Amino acid sequence: MFRLESAKVTFQGKDALTDITLSIPEGQKVALIGRSGAGKSTLLNLLYQQRPEDISLVPQDYGLVSSLSLYHNVYMGKLGTRPLWYNLMNLVRPFKQSSDDVQSVLAELQLDDKLFEPVAQLSGGQQQRAAIARAMIQPSEILCADEPVSSLDEQQSKLVMGILCKRFQTLVLAMHDIDLALEYCDRIIGLDMGRITMDAQTAALKRSDLLELYGE
Amino acid sequence: MITHMKRVFGSLLVMLSLTAVSNIALSAPRTLVFSAIPDQNQTRLVERFGKVADYLTETLGVPVRYVPVNSYAAAITAFRNNQVQLAWFGGLSGVRARLLVPGSEAIAQGQEDTEFKTYFIAHHSAGLKPVDGFPAEMANKTFTFGSKGSTSGRLMPEFYIREFFGKTPEEVFDKVGFSGNHSRTVALVQSGSYQVGATNYKVWEKELADGKIDASKVSVIWQTPTYPTTNGVFVVM
Amino acid sequence: MANNSVQLRRSMRWKISWLFILLAAVCLPFSDLSINTYDPWGELGRLFSGLLQPSLSAIDKPFHALLQTIAFAILGVSAGSLIGFGLAQVFHFKLIRILCASIRAVHELFWALIFLQIFGLHPLTGLLALGLPYAATFAKVYAEILEEGDRRPYDRVQQTAGRVSAFFYARLPDLWQHFVTYTGYRLECGLRSSAVLGFVGLPTLGYYLSTAFMEGVYTEVWALLILFYLVIATMRYWLRPKLLPLYLLVAPFIIANDSEISLENVVRFFSIDIVPSPLRNGEGLAGLWQWLAELVMTEALPGIINTLLLTQLALVLTGVLALFWFPFISKLFFQRFGRLLGNLFLVVMRSTPEYILAFILLMLWGPSMLPAVIALALHNGAIIGHLIGRYSDGIRLRINAPKGLNRYAYEVVPRVYNQFLAFLFYRWEIIQRETAILGILGITTLGFYIDSAIQDIRLDKAVVLIVITAALNVLIDGISHTIRARLRLSVSPQ
């Protein structure tokens, strides 16, 4: 599914990632952990660039259009699957079928009462779930998400992680919550100063080891 | 042309020496500034009046400078504000200048200006034929004057329109525009943008000679009776 | 298909947009938009063939005129910016606000015509005609920038450091970039205004441009226009903040001429020229009343109606064009080469005086409101398109954002729309002012009557009409301000 061989990324003259060799098979659920600035987001973007058309992406800053309704923001995940005229019409007047589709995804995420609210009116956690809904509605089996549950409380985090694991075959998630990573992912990759410092199956890892190295 | 102008201006000299001398008496030689209404191509005006200025400088012994302006009102205002002491006006602007500057005088007139006339021109699509009497059929067409302050492009044609119809041009015509100057009037009527227009006969003849007029598109449908414009030079006394 | 039960909550800006479109639609039946012309191609052919061989040879001093244009712009805008900065500090006084709104409400061309009466061709005429309305505009925008900035650091420091130091330490550094950006933008406007002042006789590019144009010497027209496009397009290369002091030092020598100010003329203007003629002729208040009533009924009212019709139509079309054009210069849509073409097009559209655009369209369509509406919309649409395009470069999209028209409709327009409306409402009063200079089309706007009064040397009439125009503009400005406040729109970069 993904394969990187001694990959290197420089950003503004500094090495953001060095010597990344990595392969992720289909169906694996991977957590990228590390302190901020370790290179998680860069690695996530690097993976995304490998096959952008097959991947749903949740960027760290969500990339929502705050003056549009929640519905339209989520619908954006479907833009590529619909003809242009449909998209433009839908902007002015939502189509029933699409709004039902969006509604059902939002219902899973417990956000369906806000369908036509402008995103600017939503709380941080609601906005994060909106970005997740947009990724979910996209017809792809791979998810790359940058801190997808960072603004959610524990209960909601678990709900969302469960939904994501069910919805997508392959997951690559940048995370800082080690407990969640251990609970929901098969494999954990640790990053520090732009290098992979650890790569192991979850089953072989202990919470305390991870906390020491990568806890925040 | 030049000899004609020389004759006209030759007759001014006596008058001008008086003003010039009084200027000199007051201070060091001050420049006598002179201007003209933009009723002709600017380049031609600069050429023509530039020569006059040179001639006057030489003859009067005071610096004389010609400054071009781009509107009738600007010429009048400059004359009134004494920024211009000598100016070439038309009929209407001459009267205005004299009213605004008490004591100013017309001191010369061009020869052709004693018998001036305005051409009414029409685009062929308007279906107007040249007539001897007043072209009454032009009512309800679109119509353009030249500059708002022009004698031949505004005052005289408006006079004849009002006289014949007993109504204002706005009431007579479908639309009334002000093209800005005579050659714009010709261009706008020739393109059919306006169906009828009024223009200075000299400008028309000049454009005709220059081959800028397509006779299949625009033609003269009526000419006003000749009128003397006091086109001429005015001086502040 | 579309579902009626879907309850999309329409935002305020959505409703306002439709309100204005509706208003324009209501104006349509009352506006003459007919097309009637027959042989436009002869003259237009001559016009565009002039483009093939632009020539400056017949013009006496084209580069002198260019220098004058730049010098007047730099001096006028700098003076305006300094005075405006001062006024912005006291902008909370209602009197100052009203004063600025009234000054702003009069088009630069009319200021120039007024000062021409008083000072003739003395450089002061051009300086004041530019500086005065610019100062009033600067005052307003600077005040808004100050208002939106974060006051808290200032409030904390002020108690111990005193107001002036606190201002320079705690407020200015934060807002400086906003001031610089806006002032830079106004310099471009200043160049355009300065060029256009030539239309009424100042020795800038517009003088030669209007002369060449009126005489149909299109080779010169194009040469002058191209010269002007170049100056505008290369502004960011020659107009460096570091060079500004040098320019300011040289400019006064460029605009200096030997005309003198006569106190007599100044006094006469105020004591005789602008006194209504019935009072001058001793007809008393009854005469004055009759004079005013006639002026209002025959000129002011029809003028107001036509001005408003033209403004509302042009405003909506301006908005449409701006939204259509801005992507062509935006990094979100086009690569370097595409953007270069887009920029070139917008420079041409916004630097060609509306007057010339209107004339070309008049040739094509004949006299009606149509050429006026389109000419105003082309010019102003290009200005707003330029501003929105530049603003959109600051937007950072997610890396998986859609492309093409989907990106335009879903990602970009919703994000720039507030800014777009802010610019458009700012432009509203400006469009209204600009309706003034389209008398060639036979549309009797207020500006048409003002021009007529000045051509007839009836300054008393002209001044009354200018005051009425200003009042109308102040009104529009007030409405625009209310709307912008309701929508929380601001033109200063966030």
Side-chain angles (χ1 to χ4, degrees), chain B residues 35-38 67-84 86-89 93 97, chain C residues 455 457:
Chain B
S35 190
I37 51 167
V67 279
V69 294
N70 65 353
S71 79
Y72 288 70
I76 300 170
T77 304
F79 187 66
R80 183 192 191 192
N81 286 354
N82 199 20
Q83 285 146 347
V84 159
L86 182 68
W88 172 272
F89 286 121
S93 43
Chain C
Q455 293 303 323
I457 328 270

Side-chain angles (χ1 to χ4, degrees), chain A residues 50-66:
Chain A
Q50 292 220 310
R51 43 198 311 173
E53 57 283 352
D54 301 332
I55 295 175
S56 286
L57 182 78
V58 181
Q60 194 168 22
D61 55 3
Y62 314 152
L64 298 169
V65 180
S66 59

Side-chain angles (χ1 to χ4, degrees), chain C residues 226-463:
Chain C
I226 290 168
L227 204 60
F228 189 54
Y229 298 152
L230 285 177
V231 168
I232 297 276
T234 57
M235 244 183 83
R236 61 187 164 133
Y237 301 109
W238 57 264
L239 195 70
R240 300 274 175 181
K242 272 185 200 158
L243 290 174
L244 202 57
L246 179 73
Y247 292 150
L248 284 172
L249 219 63
V250 176
F253 294 100
I254 294 175
I255 64 170
N257 62 26
D258 59 1
S259 58
E260 291 156 21
I261 294 176
S262 133
L263 191 64
E264 211 180 309
N265 292 334
V266 180
V267 172
R268 191 199 59 216
F269 178 79
F270 288 104
S271 62
I272 299 173
D273 289 357
I274 63 170
V275 177
S277 61
L279 293 184
R280 252 183 290 156
N281 304 335
E283 293 166 34
L285 282 179
L288 177 68
W289 179 245
Q290 204 190 348
W291 179 83
L292 264 181
E294 197 190 321
L295 185 59
V296 168
M297 293 313 290
T298 57
E299 302 196 349
L301 270 183
I304 288 172
I305 292 170
N306 279 319
T307 302
L308 286 177
L309 286 176
L310 184 52
T311 306
Q312 290 318 107
L313 289 175
L315 181 70
V316 169
L317 197 61
T318 296
V320 172
L321 286 180
L323 281 180
F324 180 67
W325 281 342
F326 86 83
F328 292 98
I329 63 159
S330 168
K331 286 180 185 157
L332 300 175
F333 296 96
F334 284 93
Q335 300 295 319
R336 185 175 271 271
F337 182 69
R339 290 206 307 276
L340 187 74
L341 292 182
N343 269 314
L344 210 62
F345 175 77
L346 290 189
V347 165
V348 168
M349 277 300 162
R350 67 179 193 266
S351 318
T352 308
E354 294 102 311
Y355 179 80
I356 288 178
L357 291 175
F359 182 84
I360 294 173
L361 297 170
L362 168 66
M363 284 282 181
L364 280 173
W365 298 325
S368 75
M369 225 178 240
L370 191 64
V373 170
I374 307 279
L376 285 171
L378 287 175
H379 179 80
N380 289 292
I383 290 174
I384 298 182
H386 166 73
L387 293 172
I388 297 294
R390 289 248 304 265
Y391 174 78
S392 75
D393 284 344
I395 294 175
R396 289 195 43 198
L397 295 177
R398 59 195 161 100
I399 55 172
N400 61 340
K403 301 235 179 318
L405 274 172
N406 282 325
R407 166 179 294 194
Y408 174 78
Y410 276 81
E411 290 278 356
V412 182
V413 170
R415 287 180 215 256
V416 300
Y417 204 79
N418 276 351
Q419 201 70 18
F420 160 75
L421 279 185
F423 284 129
L424 193 60
F425 284 128
Y426 255 97
R427 215 66 208 165
W428 192 4
E429 51 160 338
I430 299 175
I431 290 175
Q432 175 153 307
R433 266 184 271 152
E434 287 173 345
T435 59
I437 53 179
L438 300 169
I440 191 175
L441 306 173
I443 304 165
T444 49
T445 59
L446 282 168
F448 172 86
Y449 289 115
I450 296 172
D451 178 57
S452 295
I454 286 174
Q455 293 303 323
D456 290 349
I457 328 270
R458 292 193 180 151
L459 301 179
D460 48 348
K461 223 164 110 178
V463 166

